[in-house]
Amino acid sequence: MDGDGAVTDASITMGQPGVTIRPGDHICAFYRGVVQRDDVLVPYLREGILAGDKCICVMDDPDTERVLGALGPDVDRSLRSGQFDLMCSDTAYVPCGYFAVEEMLGFWEHGVGDAVRQAGYAFVRAVGEMTWALRDLPGVEDLVTYEARLNRFLPRYPQVILCLYDLERFTDGRVLMELLRTHPQVLLSGQLLENPWYTEPDDYLAEPR
C-alpha cells in the first residue's frame, strides 16, 4: 500500500503469542507499571526490527536503556541504520513546551510518510508512551481530540500506532472512557480486542466539548 492506497487485510505478528495486528490498527494498550509496559513494548518492537519494519518509539520514561537492553543485539544496528527511531516525549509531543494537535499529526506524517515514500519501508510500527499528558502543560486537554484524529491518519500508510496508557497513572474514569471511544482496538492482559465503545472520528469530533 502507498500513501494514497487502501489498507490491506494482511495480518502481522505483534510479538505476543497469538496476537496479530493489521495495517491501519490504532491500539490503546492498558497496563500497570513498567514491567507490564515492557511486556507489551519490547516484543512489539523486537518483532518489527526482525521483520525489517520501520519502528518509531516515543518514550516518556527517561530510562530508555531498560528497553534498549531488552531488545537484543540487533538494536544497535537498527538505530545506526535509521530503521529504529527512539526519542523522548518532550521531543515528539511537546517540543515547544505545549501540545498542539496539528503539529503532532505533522510529526507522524513526516516520520511515517518519509519512511514509506522515501526510505521504502513496507510497514511502520509506531508506539507512544502517553504519561506525558498527565503533566500540567498547555494543550494536553486536546489529547482525546488528537487520538480521534489519528483514526483519519491511520489508513494513509501501512502502519500501526500503539498508544501506551498506564492504569496506575491514568485513574480518571472519564478520561479512560474518552480514550476507549477514540481507539478501535484495545490491548488488555495480552488480548487484542475490538472495542465496542469506539466512535468514528467524524461523529466523535462533532460532539460538543
Side-chain angles (χ1 to χ4, degrees), residues 44-45 48-49 53-57 83-86 124-126:
Y44 175 76
L45 292 173
I49 291 170
D53 302 335
K54 172 71 176 184
C55 297
I56 304 172
C57 177
Q83 179 196 4
F84 178 31
D85 292 335
L86 178 63
V124 180
R125 295 178 184 236

Side-chain angles (χ1 to χ4, degrees), residues 6-191:
V7 172
T8 68
D9 293 327
S11 62
I12 298 150
T13 300
M14 183 172 181
Q16 296 188 352
V19 179
T20 58
I21 53 180
R22 298 161 299 178
D25 279 352
H26 181 203
I27 303 168
C28 182
F30 289 127
Y31 62 94
R32 293 186 180 276
V34 171
V35 172
Q36 287 189 13
R37 180 203 67 190
D38 291 353
D39 287 344
V40 174
L41 177 62
V42 171
Y44 175 76
L45 292 173
R46 185 190 296 124
E47 189 71 27
I49 291 170
L50 292 174
D53 302 335
K54 172 71 176 184
C55 297
I56 304 172
C57 177
V58 183
M59 293 190 64
D60 196 46
D61 185 349
D63 184 16
T64 57
E65 291 300 319
R66 177 189 177 98
V67 171
L68 289 174
L71 285 173
D74 291 326
V75 67
D76 288 338
R77 182 174 58 189
S78 65
L79 287 167
R80 291 193 303 269
S81 70
Q83 179 196 4
F84 178 31
D85 292 335
L86 178 63
M87 59 195 72
C88 68
S89 56
D90 286 347
T91 299
Y93 289 105
V94 287
C96 298
Y98 61 87
F99 177 68
V101 174
E102 293 294 342
E103 292 180 13
M104 194 60 217
L105 293 172
F107 167 86
W108 289 122
E109 175 65 41
H110 174 73
V112 177
D114 285 359
V116 174
R117 291 192 303 264
Q118 297 180 21
Y121 285 97
F123 188 66
V124 180
R125 295 178 184 236
V127 56
E129 184 179 22
M130 305 304 291
T131 44
W132 61 268
L134 297 172
R135 297 184 234 165
D136 185 16
L137 294 170
V140 294
E141 66 275 7
D142 293 327
L143 172 65
V144 292
T145 297
Y146 158 73
E147 293 282 25
R149 290 187 59 184
L150 269 182
N151 294 305
R152 295 172 173 168
F153 171 70
L154 262 295
R156 287 181 50 79
Y157 299 104
Q159 62 176 318
V160 165
I161 295 182
L162 177 66
C163 303
L164 300 174
Y165 285 96
D166 187 349
L167 292 175
E168 291 185 352
R169 306 281 301 278
F170 286 88
T171 58
D172 188 324
R174 294 169 298 177
V175 172
L176 293 174
M177 191 66 231
E178 296 305 303
L179 294 174
L180 284 172
R181 296 186 65 210
T182 53
H183 289 83
Q185 293 87 23
V186 176
L187 183 69
L188 184 63
S189 300
Q191 300 291 317

